[in-house]
Amino acid sequence: MNTLVTGAAGFLGANLLRSLLADPRGGHIVAVDLVPQSFPDASGRLRWITGGLDDPAGLAAVAATRFDTVFHLASIPGGLAEREPALGRRVNLDATLALFDRLAEAGTRPRVVFASSIAVYGEMAGDAVHALTPTRPTLTYGAHKRMAEIALADLTRRGGVSGIALRLPGLVARPGGSTGHGSAFMSDLLRSVAAGQPYVCPVGPEATCWWMSAACAVANLRHAAAIVATGDIQLPALHLSVGEVVAALAETFGPACGRLVTHRPSPEIERLFGRLPPLWAQEAEALGFAHDGSALRLVAAALAAD
Amino acid sequence: MNTLVTGAAGFLGANLLRSLLADPRGGHIVAVDLVPQSFPDASGRLRWITGGLDDPAGLAAVAATRFDTVFHLASIPGGLAEREPALGRRVNLDATLALFDRLAEAGTRPRVVFASSIAVYGEMAGDAVHALTPTRPTLTYGAHKRMAEIALADLTRRGGVSGIALRLPGLVARPGGSTGHGSAFMSDLLRSVAAGQPYVCPVGPEATCWWMSAACAVANLRHAAAIVATGDIQLPALHLSVGEVVAALAETFGPACGRLVTHRPSPEIERLFGRLPPLWAQEAEALGFAHDGSALRLVAAALAAD
């Protein structure tokens, strides 16, 4: 049993890797990332490849192993890809398609779990999102994610891989500092308040987002690897206002929390990340995917995960 | 005023080129195709480049001119791309994206009219197709067309080009002989009956297709170049059964025509090309796009066009 994790040093990748290494049934794991990393691994099951999939040598090193399961998480985040479109193109589209092609050519029909994004929808305002919501990406990042979904579905139809794409919302709580994710404020809010520090929020308290902890995302990724369903899946996520999340923080860390947060809304961030409509994800729930359960559980999971 | 036509030696390309050359306002035209061609051109306005866009030299030769308008028609047809996926990938995806990128980098923000296809929808059965119908391609050809639509829309959003993708149905009447198009029977039916020859039709008389003559498609392409709307457009098309088209042939060429056609349905061709649902294209009609008008006009336009 061989598993590949790309983008293994990233926020989601590192959480997934910890989960896989903690599971004795997990078999051998190849982790690849641009960032060298010595991961705690007493089991000897982990092999780390430092390199980029956009580099033929990096791709060849990865493709030398025959994998049963692949988690393809490596990507240039949306804000960064928008500023550096050639980099975004190389990693988010070209390297992703090249990886999928190599996996399909290997002849082992691996299970491929692709970390897609709600950025495929483009601006969402008003109508609830459901399984038939059209995809109209308004960032190059989302356009490339959608193109990769289509390529993965076609390779699945042709029989080369068994692919499933999970559309992930912004995950919390990422480490502080700019990560190139436009939705970083969601994590910054949680981390600042949990640390008792004031936070100036770039969206108002009534702004609505889709929330998911990294732990919940890892559970969904691993569930996706274990089932046979294929295609594009909109994961369930908690549809919560910023005010509801602040209330859950206050319930968790004490009423003083509410006073730490002030709002200075940025129209651009509000428009792109603060007007998310309700989400109907019954199909995904029927397949066994889940959200965090409640705002309180989200806060607990998001801040316990490191 | 410089216009580029790719795939200029193809069925649609040649019809478009004739139309552009017949229009004295048309300016200079660069035509590119793998097939060398000496097109009748008394005006000296046409330059023919023999080469493939999937060849860096061919692409560079094309990109040496600054274009105001681009008609990107070159593609490997669906049946052929399914049998030779590497060829389909190289032309229908890689070369198409490379062309779009070069056009966007030129700084002239050209109008790009991309010949997309109803293959983006995948199997259509039952529900009418409309502007929000999800795209679920079931051929690699359709997957690549959809990916190219997304890339073009993103380059348009970024300001590099002004792109519009027209989703074309099977066009009639293509010259006889295998062209790699699964919908070739539509053309073979028209040409055989018009020539007074018997025709064994691979779908039944109740099979429904979307029909458009090449002349109508050319008018729609040229209209697309002249307006400012961008995005993915499902063109209007006549939703007719094979029996209705045979009746129009009988009305045009005489009642004996009906006896020339026998039916030996192929389940595969019926499934992919003979169960097309009604088409609601009001948005496209409001933009000035049109179908042939009636079965009789379709027959006349399809068979007069050479």
Side-chain angles (χ1 to χ4, degrees), chain A residues 89 101 140 154 157-158, chain B residues 82 89 101 140 154 157:
Chain A
R89 162 74 181 272
D101 281 344
T140 302
D154 193 55
R157 179 188 64 80
R158 296 184 75 95
Chain B
E82 203 63 17
R89 163 75 181 269
D101 282 344
T140 301
D154 193 55
R157 178 188 65 79

Side-chain angles (χ1 to χ4, degrees), chain B residues 221-275:
Chain B
L221 287 169
R222 294 198 62 185
H223 180 67
I227 63 176
V228 296
T230 58
D232 311 322
I233 305 286
Q234 174 53 58
L235 287 181
L238 286 170
H239 179 245
L240 298 172
S241 71
V242 166
E244 288 173 299
V245 172
V246 171
L249 285 165
E251 200 166 330
T252 305
F253 296 104
C257 287
R259 290 191 295 275
L260 293 172
V261 182
T262 51
H263 298 274
R264 196 177 301 154
S266 144
E268 178 75 359
I269 293 183
E270 280 260 2
R271 185 173 63 83
L272 287 173
F273 302 103
R275 290 187 198 154

Side-chain angles (χ1 to χ4, degrees), chain B residues 170-237:
Chain B
L171 300 180
V172 291
R174 293 181 180 276
S178 172
T179 61
H181 287 268
S183 58
F185 72 87
M186 298 163 71
S187 295
D188 295 343
L189 167 71
L190 291 176
R191 291 205 178 275
S192 297
V193 173
Q197 289 164 357
Y199 181 66
V200 181
C201 188
V203 300
E206 72 298 337
T208 49
C209 308
W210 294 350
W211 303 79
M212 182 179 284
S213 70
C216 179
V218 165
N220 283 318
L221 287 169
R222 294 198 62 185
H223 180 67
I227 63 176
V228 296
T230 58
D232 311 322
I233 305 286
Q234 174 53 58
L235 287 181

Side-chain angles (χ1 to χ4, degrees), chain A residues 81-85 89 93-94 97-98 101 131-132 134-144 146-148 150-151 154 157-158, chain B residues 81-85 89 93-94 97-98 101 131-132 134-144 146-148 150-151 154 157-158:
Chain A
E82 203 64 15
R83 293 190 297 277
E84 299 192 29
R89 162 74 181 272
L93 184 63
D94 298 341
L97 298 187
D101 281 344
L132 296 181
T135 53
R136 289 173 172 160
T138 44
L139 288 174
T140 302
Y141 173 78
H144 288 158
R146 180 66 190 127
M147 292 167 77
I150 294 169
D154 193 55
R157 179 188 64 80
R158 296 184 75 95
Chain B
E82 203 63 17
R83 292 191 299 277
E84 298 191 29
R89 163 75 181 269
L93 184 63
D94 297 342
L97 299 187
D101 282 344
L132 296 180
T135 53
R136 290 173 171 161
T138 45
L139 289 173
T140 301
Y141 173 77
H144 289 158
R146 181 67 190 127
M147 292 166 78
I150 294 169
D154 193 55
R157 178 188 65 79
R158 296 184 74 94

